[in-house]
Amino acid sequence: MEFGPNLRMPHSRAMGSGLFELRPRGREGIGRVFHCFIIGQRVVILHAFVKKTPATPEQELKMARKRMKEVQNG
């Protein structure tokens, strides 16, 4: 990735504790992709969905945080 963790709004947003959100837009609507960076500059996609409401649903964020813990802990 050209910008890595330095990519900022409106394309990406840091969600805290090493979790990041990509913010793509397309014909189907506004998408969200949660990801994290692992040692060795690897990007791990944790969860992706198309938003149906203005705010990111808490259950989507919880799922991404749970998966991030699983990836980090092996």
Side-chain angles (χ1 to χ4, degrees):
M1 286 178 75
E2 183 178 340
F3 295 102
N6 298 319
L7 184 64
R8 300 283 183 241
M9 291 289 279
H11 308 294
S12 179
R13 181 171 85 169
M15 303 299 286
S17 301
L19 183 65
F20 295 87
E21 173 187 63
L22 290 176
R23 305 164 59 89
R25 291 178 181 257
R27 278 183 272 163
E28 293 81 25
I30 299 169
R32 291 295 183 258
V33 179
F34 292 112
H35 68 285
C36 63
F37 293 89
I38 302 297
I39 296 170
Q41 296 289 330
R42 283 188 268 167
V43 176
V44 177
I45 304 300
L46 303 166
H47 183 55
F49 64 99
V50 175
K51 284 181 65 168
K52 305 287 186 206
T53 62
T56 299
E58 189 63 30
Q59 70 185 31
E60 306 289 357
L61 190 55
K62 284 181 181 180
M63 180 178 294
R65 291 191 190 284
K66 178 181 179 263
R67 289 179 179 172
M68 185 172 72
K69 285 180 185 176
E70 291 171 1
V71 167
Q72 291 173 336
N73 295 329

